[in-house]
Structure formats: C-alpha cells, structure tokens
Amino acid sequence: MTDKPAIRRTLANDLRFLGHDSEMASRIGDHDWTSTPLGPPGAWPQSLKVAVRIALTTRHPVIIFWGFELLCLYNDACVALPGFHQQFLTLGAPGKVACADFWSVIGPSIAAVMDGRVSTGSENQVLPTIYDGDEQRSSWTCSFSPIDDEASPGGIGGVMVQLTETNQTWAHHHQDLADAEVKASQHLLADVRTMADDVPVMLWVTDARGRCVWLNARWLEYTGLVGDVVLPTGWLDLVHPDDRAHSTGNFIAANAAHTSYRSEYRLRGPDGNYRWVLDAASPRFGPSGEYLGFVGSVIDIDDRRVAEDRLRVSDTRFRAAVDAIQGVLWTNSADGRMIGEQPGWSALTGQAFGQYQDFGWSKAVHPDDAQGTIDAWNDAVAEKRPFVFEHRIRRADDSWGSYVIRAVPILAAGKVVEWVGVHTDITVQRAAEAELRALNATLEDRIAAELRTRAKIEAALRQSQKMEAIGQLTSGIAHDFNNMLTVVIGGLQVLSRTLDPANAKAHRYLDLSLEGAQRAAGLVERLLAFSRQQPFKLGMTDINAVLHGMTDMLRQALDGRVTLQLNLETTLPPLLTDAGLLESAILNLAVNAGHAMPNGGILQITTSLVPIEGDTAMLNSVDAGLYALIAVADSGSGMPADIVEKAFEPFFTTKEVGKGTGLGLSQVHGFARQNGGNVTILSELGRGTEVRILLPIPTE
Amino acid sequence: MAVILVVDDEIGIARLLEDVLNDEGHDVLLASNGKQALELMAECPPAVVLTDFMMPIMDGIALIEAMSATSDLAHIPVILMSAMPEAMVSNRTVRYAAFVRKPFNIFDLVDLANKLAIARA
C-alpha cells in the first residue's frame, strides 16, 4: 500500500493531512464533500483533520462520526473487512444510515460520548457482517472516544470508534450460529408452509417467469380444484372471462417491473358461480437481489363488492332525488371544511376548485348572510347535529338566489366521517312571499282607494235617486198644472168666441191671459222634459252629422271671440234618439258655455266611442255597454263642486233673476236619461267646464 | 143630437166640455172616473166617449180595456186626453180613436167629437 503514485499525484496541497499511503485517503480525497455539511476537506476543522490522520495511520478498524449528523468516515482497516464497506458503510453518510444494521448496538454509546459523558467501551458486541454474500454475525470489542473541537457545541465535534474483532470467539460462535440457523430455517419453512395452508386466506407463489409454482390449500378448497390442474397457468381459466384481460395485464406488467401487484376480479368456485376477490402480491428477491417471482394473497371481497354496488345504486338514487328537488349536493370534511371536488357547488356558484376550498365557499354567500352562516355552521359541526339554514347565493350568472340548506353528519362508529349537505333553491317561494308581504303592506291603501270609489259610487247613486225624486215631483206638478191650464185656456177660448167682437179692450185682456196661460203650458212642457216625459221622435241618428249641421247656428249663438272646435270620432255608429232634442241639448250646453266665457275662449265639442263597465258604469249611473260620448268643453271660469252637484236640478240657476229659467241643464239631463244614458259635469274653477253626454249604442 | 160621455176627475175640464158640447146640441153625461163611466154607459150607451188618462179608482186605460171587453161598448169611439205625451200612453193601449194632449184647443176637440158622433149616427 506504500507505492501508489496515482494517489500521491492526485492529492492537492490542502489534502496533505490525509497522507499518501492509504486507499481510504484516496477515497476521501476523491469524494465530493461539497454537498455535505462538512464541506471540502481542506476546510475541515483541525481537530477532525487530526482524527482522520490518526484513523488513516492505525491498523485497527476505526470509524469517525462527525458533527450533528454524525457523518461517517473510516479507514482502510474497515474496508479490509470482507464485505464490510460494501454492505454497511457509506463514506460521508449519516451514521444511522451508514450503520443502519448495527446502529442500535453502537448508536447509544456514540450519543453518550457526544453528550459529553466519558469515553466508553464494550466487549463482544455481536455485529452483523456479510462474508462472501452470506450474512453472518461477528463479535467485536468497541471503544468510543470523543474528538474535542472548540467550535462545536459542548466542545465535542465527533466520536472516534475503534473496533477490534475478537476472532476466536466469533469463529466458534459463527459456526454454531450457522448450524442452528440452517436447522431453524428448515423448521421455519415447514412451519410456514403448514401455517400457509391453514390460514383462511388464499396464497400463491410464482417464479420469476410468472408461472404459478404453489397454491395453498385454501385456494384449492375455494376453487374446488387440485394443484396439478391449475399449475402453472391453468388457474387463469377460473377468472371470469370479462376480467381476464385486465387482471392478466396487471400481473404481466408487475412481473416485468418487479413491483407489487393488485387486482380485483371474479373467481369461479366449485359451484360454478363467480365471486369477487382481491388479489395482492409482492415481489420476492434472492439474497443477492435477484428477482424470484411473486408471493400473493387472495381474499374474497364479494360481499363488499355487492355492498358497493348497492351503495352505488343507492348513491345514484340519492343524487337523482337531489336533482329532483332541484338541489345542489355537496360534502364537507368531518371538521366542517369544504375539501375536494364539489361539482354541484361549482356549477351553482361558478367558483373554481381553489375558490371554494376550506371556507372559500362563503365568498359566494351574500355578504349580509356570510358570517351568520359560518357561525351557525361551526356550531352545528361542533355539536355534530344536523344543520338547517337559509341564505342567499350569488349564482354563476351573477344573479342572487335564496337557498335553504340541510346538512347532516355521516357517522361511522359514533364519529363524524363527513358532512353531506343539499342547497335547495327557494328563490321563487321567497319572491312570492315577499310579493304577498308587499301586497299586505299596501292592502290598507287599496282598501282606502276602494272605499273612496265606493263613496263616489254611493254619491252618484244618491244624486241619481235625488234627480229621480225631483223628476217624479216635477212630473206630478206638471200634470196637475196642465189640467188646470186646460181649464184656463179652454175657458178663455170659449169666452173669446162668445164675447162681443166690438169690445176690443176685453178682447185685449183675453188675449194677454191666453198668451200667459200658453207660456205657462210651455214651461210645464219643459218640466216634463226634465222628468223624461217629453214627446220623443225616435230615429237612427248620426250624431256627427247633427253636430256638423249645427255649426252655423252655434257660431251665431256664440260671442265672436269664442272659437268653436269640433273633434269628431269618424267611426261613431248611428244611434236611436230624437235628433231635434239632441240638437236643442247641444245648443243649450253651448249657450251655457258661452256665458262662462264672457271674454271669449274655446268651445270644444268632442265625440268618441267608450266602453263602460264595472265601477265606471255605477259612477255614471248607467248600464254597462258601449256608449257614444259627446263632450262639450269650455275654457271658461268653471264651477265649484256644490254648484256642479245641483246644476241639473230644475229651476236651479246661477244667473240673475229673469235671465234664465234654470231648466236648460235639467232638460239635457232628462234627454240623456230618457235615452238610457246620462250626463255628467267635470269642472274646475278657473280652468273651465266639460259636460259629457253618454248615449247608448244599440247592441244590434 | 148625440149622447157624449165625458170622463175626467178635473171637474173644471168636465164642466167646460159639458157646456161647449151642449152648445153644439149634444146630450152630455159626466163621470169622474172609469167606474162611474161604465155604470152610466150600462144605462145609456153614448155615441162618443171623451176620457182623461190619469184618474183615481179606474183610469182611462182601464176604462178603454173594459169597454173593449164588453160587446155593447166595444164599438164606441174613445177620445183619450192626457197631459202626458202620446208616446207614454200608446204603449199601454191602442184601442182609442184619437189622442188629444192637454192643454188642448177646446174647439179642435169639439170638432173631433162632432165628426166621430156624425160617423156613428
């Protein structure tokens, strides 16, 4: 070992502490230390350099463990031990790795020295050793010495272990041990085979080429076959044809890769029925690492598979039920966090996987509901009780929806394994409830409005009844007056004929009396018109034509400063009325309007077709149906409400005494009522008045 | 020359007509309602009847209908007098010879009665 020029040449100046005369010096010098906590040897602490120098120069096996990791350095004497460095020691590796097989023997002593306790030693320590590929045991005396290093914690940088093989002891011990082990292993093999046949698990062994070389009794019993038939590949015939391809493929791949194998398939039993089994195997290796084949076990999982199938059906049913209630299904971990894929939740909220994990889902909950939900959820999880809640969710399309949540803990052996929850969309119900609430809130307003309408209808009815009563009274008076006037006029006529024609003065008085009586008769006629007892010359009448025909007469009746406007509905059908009375009613209204506009203005006569029904019919005191509306509107001074109320009563007038009979509007009223229609007044002080006559359109 | 029955509850009208018709040479019977008129006609059937429309106990319409139902009276022409328009009467009955609206010209009415009486004679 002293003449190795190559080694000497490669050592750099800073590695001179390693010396020039050892195999290990060369190895340490060649080793790449930069990736270890030690760094390059030139920079090692002086104390370590000294220790290595001592180790490399002694003939006894010496191992140095350095630093916190107890990195391993050793000398040629260790290397010289047959198989020692190949199998157990690795230069620069942590001690517990490099000396894994006997660390339990030396590790505690090394730790004691590192802790600053005294150096120690032990005799006849049995350490595993490999001789010519066979594992043996040898006996050693070990001494453990601290390596002082000021820079290290506790002042101790490492431990030097010096080994002395007690060869003689080992030789006898080794031989005895070997004999004993052979016997033991033979017994063991027999025991194992017996045991393997007895275990309630099917076992099998293959060789390196994948051929089955052994099946235990349980396997044969399970399949009802004997070994000769199924070895080496006949067993494959018992695998269900549908499962054969994938299970064989798995096996061949594992056999080629020398990796573990696992497969589920159906295996035929003696009764010809197939049952599901789980087949799992591990590769076997020889002492030198060569691949030997598989040893595998087969267990019956048919009950589990059937249960799984049932579970799958049950799960499918459950999901269908959830879909049917328009629910969104999700699961949470036992401690109440959303983990893993949640496709339903993701589809509902549009949240990506990373967004809803843990409590990320709460970001999709309405800000006003989020904290309340989290608090209630945490309470339910802590108490392991079903969770029922309601909140609003921002859906994938950014709309808000109301959802009721029901979640239950799934228990196994009294422990929560996960939570399953369903979000059910109740947006429509909540919206309907809100609408109902709003409706209730406005109920009082609507009732008030309804009551106002009723009040108007009642007022209209009262007005109508009042006019009816006045009409009957008027009619009675008119009838009696007519009888009396008949006597007066008849008497005057007889007197006029019998009186001496020469008595001119008497004749003048008679004529005046007759004239007065006949004027009284005219007044009575107008009273009868109000009480709907005027003579009617009914005929199909085109209202627009009547109005067109009146324009000259109306212009003459009106002040020159009043502008007449006609807005006539051209589709107005003819209706049954007395054209002459209609004309006089319009004229009556136009003259009244003119009086309301002493300084001029606009008189607008409008016709239109209006359907009248429901409350409108009651307000107008007419039957429901189609009507012609004739509106005569002025831009005059208007009337206060109390005047409007009495405007149609006979003898009611706002004009000075002697300037009006107060019968004009009452005649218009009688005309409209006698036609089956009505007349109403809309008036506003300073804005003008509009009188509306409604006349029914015949249905046929 | 003929017997004329005047029926009216307004006594002034009845008396006026009685005088004028007497002047024309007719015998005049007076009744103040339909019932009285029927009693008189049972004793002495007239050539013409002048009757008011609205009367107590039995009005003009009822009288006309009763006459129509009695064979001895059905052919006697009736002049119906009313303060109401004919349109309001004609929907109750059409069994009258003429309608005269009050207040009437008394000589026009007498002419009408004369014509009907002559036609009957």
Side-chain angles (χ1 to χ4, degrees):
Chain A
M1 299 283 284
T2 54
D3 55 350
K4 283 199 172 175
I7 293 169
R8 272 197 295 273
R9 273 200 309 276
T10 60
L11 289 174
N13 288 343
D14 56 354
L15 298 180
R16 288 215 177 102
F17 72 91
L18 294 170
H20 305 289
D21 51 357
S22 78
E23 172 95 17
M24 230 28 226
S26 174
R27 282 176 178 269
I28 291 169
D30 289 347
H31 193 83
D32 178 14
W33 296 98
T34 53
S35 61
T36 70
L38 280 172
W44 287 357
Q46 192 58 35
S47 54
L48 177 60
K49 286 180 178 175
V50 170
V52 170
R53 180 68 183 150
I54 292 167
L56 292 178
T57 52
T58 182
R59 288 168 51 225
H60 295 286
V62 173
I63 310 172
I64 295 168
F65 298 94
W66 185 262
F68 176 74
E69 293 88 356
L70 300 172
L71 300 180
C72 203
L73 295 153
Y74 46 92
N75 65 359
D76 285 352
C78 293
V79 175
L81 289 170
F84 196 86
H85 81 281
Q86 291 176 349
Q87 299 297 327
F88 296 102
L89 294 178
T90 305
L91 190 62
K96 63 182 175 186
V97 175
C99 309
D101 284 5
F102 55 98
W103 189 249
S104 59
V105 179
I106 63 172
S109 300
I110 292 168
V113 175
M114 283 298 285
D115 285 350
R117 284 172 263 165
V118 290
S119 59
T120 180
S122 58
E123 290 187 355
N124 291 335
Q125 292 286 324
V126 176
L127 304 179
T129 321
I130 301 291
Y131 285 102
D132 300 329
D134 291 330
E135 184 180 320
Q136 305 289 351
R137 300 197 178 273
S138 47
S139 180
W140 299 83
T141 295
C142 311
S143 69
F144 304 86
S145 310
I147 305 169
D148 294 334
D149 178 49
E150 289 179 1
S152 296
I156 298 172
V159 179
M160 181 182 282
V161 182
Q162 195 167 337
L163 300 161
T164 308
E165 188 175 20
T166 51
N167 286 320
Q168 207 154 11
T169 313
W170 168 77
H172 291 107
H173 180 74
H174 172 72
Q175 192 55 51
D176 294 347
L177 195 70
D179 292 347
E181 280 190 351
V182 167
K183 281 179 188 162
S185 66
Q186 283 168 349
H187 282 299
L188 184 66
L189 197 58
D191 287 348
V192 166
R193 279 182 179 263
T194 306
M195 192 172 74
D197 276 342
D198 289 344
V199 291
V201 176
M202 295 176 270
L203 298 174
W204 53 267
V205 175
T206 54
D207 65 14
R209 292 164 63 191
R211 295 173 305 182
C212 189
V213 295
W214 178 78
L215 293 159
N216 76 343
R218 172 63 189 141
W219 199 97
L220 298 171
E221 179 196 336
Y222 187 86
T223 56
L225 296 176
V226 293
D228 291 348
V229 178
V230 292
L231 297 176
T233 55
W235 66 275
L236 267 173
D237 294 339
L238 302 178
V239 176
H240 193 287
D242 291 348
D243 302 339
R244 214 170 281 160
H246 82 83
S247 61
T248 309
N250 284 351
F251 177 79
I252 290 171
N255 195 52
H258 304 170
T259 54
S260 58
Y261 156 82
R262 188 180 172 93
S263 189
E264 288 185 15
Y265 53 82
R266 280 160 288 182
L267 192 62
R268 196 173 69 211
D271 57 359
N273 290 329
Y274 287 93
R275 289 177 68 82
W276 281 97
V277 296
L278 169 64
D279 194 343
S282 300
R284 299 185 292 124
F285 297 98
S288 53
E290 73 274 23
Y291 177 62
L292 300 177
F294 277 113
V295 58
S297 63
V298 179
I299 56 172
D300 186 317
I301 57 164
D302 199 61
D303 291 345
R304 194 198 81 195
R305 284 290 294 234
V306 169
E308 279 176 358
D309 286 346
R310 283 198 193 123
L311 193 64
R312 206 168 292 119
V313 170
S314 168
D315 190 51
T316 306
R317 276 191 200 136
F318 176 60
R319 281 173 189 280
V322 169
D323 286 346
I325 58 165
Q326 294 187 312
V328 173
L329 179 69
W330 48 263
T331 58
N332 262 18
S333 62
D335 59 351
R337 291 176 299 116
M338 192 175 265
I339 54 171
E341 289 278 0
Q342 303 290 344
W345 181 262
S346 188
L348 172 65
T349 60
Q351 281 191 316
F353 178 87
Q355 290 176 307
Y356 58 72
Q357 292 296 304
D358 216 333
F359 277 82
W361 53 265
S362 62
K363 295 281 192 298
V365 177
H366 192 284
D368 294 347
D369 302 345
Q371 193 54 48
T373 305
I374 290 171
D375 292 346
W377 172 243
N378 283 335
D379 288 350
V381 170
E383 293 170 26
K384 300 185 175 76
R385 58 168 166 72
F387 176 67
V388 178
F389 208 74
E390 187 182 324
H391 60 202
R392 288 160 289 177
I393 296 273
R394 183 172 51 231
R395 294 185 280 222
D397 63 359
D398 274 345
S399 65
W400 289 100
S402 293
Y403 289 81
V404 66
I405 310 117
R406 293 178 200 282
V408 288
I410 304 298
L411 299 169
K415 285 191 166 181
V416 176
V417 289
E418 70 172 350
W419 289 78
V420 175
V422 176
H423 269 66
T424 308
D425 191 341
I426 54 164
T427 310
V428 173
Q429 291 93 314
R430 285 290 172 267
E433 286 166 12
E435 204 174 310
L436 193 63
R437 274 197 298 276
L439 214 57
N440 283 337
T442 60
L443 189 60
E444 285 185 16
D445 291 345
R446 289 185 296 119
I447 287 173
E450 187 69 17
L451 287 175
R452 281 194 295 276
T453 305
R454 292 292 127 198
K456 281 184 188 170
I457 290 171
E458 281 174 22
L461 185 64
R462 271 198 305 277
Q463 177 73 3
S464 173
Q465 286 169 340
K466 183 183 79 178
M467 297 303 280
E468 193 69 27
I470 294 173
Q472 283 176 5
L473 184 66
T474 310
S475 169
I477 293 168
H479 188 259
D480 287 350
F481 257 82
N482 258 348
N483 275 328
M484 294 168 202
L485 285 171
T486 303
V487 181
V488 172
I489 291 170
L492 290 172
Q493 285 171 339
V494 174
L495 193 59
S496 174
R497 190 168 282 192
T498 53
L499 194 67
D500 178 6
N503 192 345
K505 200 170 185 179
H507 272 287
R508 195 155 58 84
Y509 292 139
L510 262 179
D511 289 346
L512 283 171
S513 302
L514 203 54
E515 192 184 324
Q518 268 157 351
R519 273 174 49 207
L523 187 70
V524 170
E525 183 71 28
R526 292 169 74 182
L527 279 175
L528 285 172
F530 166 71
S531 61
R532 293 184 270 158
Q533 291 181 7
Q534 62 184 326
F536 246 48
K537 295 190 187 75
L538 289 177
M540 290 308 284
T541 308
D542 179 344
I543 292 171
N544 289 344
V546 169
L547 292 168
H548 274 303
M550 288 180 73
T551 47
D552 285 345
M553 179 171 48
L554 287 171
R555 289 209 172 90
Q556 281 172 2
L558 293 166
D559 187 302
R561 289 172 294 177
V562 173
T563 308
L564 175 67
Q565 292 180 350
L566 294 183
N567 299 319
L568 306 181
E569 170 59 55
T570 53
T571 62
L572 207 61
L575 50 83
L576 194 65
T577 189
D578 183 321
L581 291 177
L582 172 64
E583 208 170 74
S584 82
I586 299 294
L587 184 60
N588 220 317
L589 295 176
V591 169
N592 275 352
H595 289 157
M597 300 184 286
N599 300 317
I602 297 169
L603 176 68
Q604 197 169 54
I605 300 178
T606 309
T607 59
S608 55
L609 197 58
V610 289
I612 291 184
E613 54 197 14
D615 289 350
T616 313
M618 285 191 269
L619 280 168
N620 285 286
S621 302
V622 294
D623 295 336
L626 193 59
Y627 286 78
L629 171 65
I630 308 161
V632 179
D634 64 56
S635 57
S637 49
M639 292 184 280
D642 58 328
I643 302 281
V644 169
E645 201 178 310
K646 294 177 179 167
F648 292 119
E649 293 174 17
F651 303 113
F652 179 81
T653 180
T654 57
K655 294 168 186 169
E656 291 168 43
V657 176
K659 287 205 170 178
T661 58
L663 286 173
L665 278 178
S666 78
Q667 273 179 286
V668 174
H669 179 267
F671 164 75
R673 295 303 277 169
Q674 202 168 343
N675 265 283
N678 204 351
V679 60
T680 51
I681 297 180
L682 294 175
S683 188
E684 202 175 328
L685 279 174
R687 300 286 296 271
T689 300
E690 179 174 310
V691 181
R692 296 174 164 187
I693 300 173
L694 287 170
L695 297 176
I697 305 281
T699 48
E700 289 176 7
Chain B
M1 293 189 288
V3 176
I4 295 178
L5 173 62
V6 174
V7 191
D8 200 315
D9 61 323
E10 177 55 53
I11 194 64
I13 294 176
R15 289 270 160 78
L16 190 62
L17 283 173
E18 183 186 25
D19 285 358
V20 178
L21 288 170
N22 281 336
D23 290 349
E24 292 292 315
H26 299 299
D27 290 332
V28 177
L29 302 175
L30 291 182
S32 62
N33 60 54
K35 189 163 175 284
Q36 281 182 5
L38 286 174
E39 286 165 5
L40 287 172
M41 279 190 281
E43 290 172 17
C44 177
V48 178
V49 176
L50 277 72
T51 182
D52 186 26
F53 172 54
M54 284 178 69
M55 291 177 294
I57 302 174
M58 186 184 224
D59 69 10
I61 300 295
L63 172 62
I64 291 169
E65 293 301 311
M67 288 171 66
S68 300
T70 310
S71 56
D72 293 347
L73 309 176
H75 58 278
I76 302 173
V78 178
I79 297 171
L80 187 58
M81 308 175 292
S82 178
M84 283 190 275
E86 185 182 6
M88 306 198 67
V89 174
S90 59
N91 59 350
R92 302 274 305 275
T93 183
V94 290
R95 298 175 199 273
Y96 53 81
F99 179 85
V100 176
R101 182 132 190 253
K102 292 178 182 173
F104 42 71
N105 183 312
I106 196 160
F107 298 113
D108 291 347
L109 178 58
V110 170
D111 285 350
L112 187 59
N114 284 337
K115 282 176 189 159
L116 289 172
I118 291 162
R120 281 279 297 151

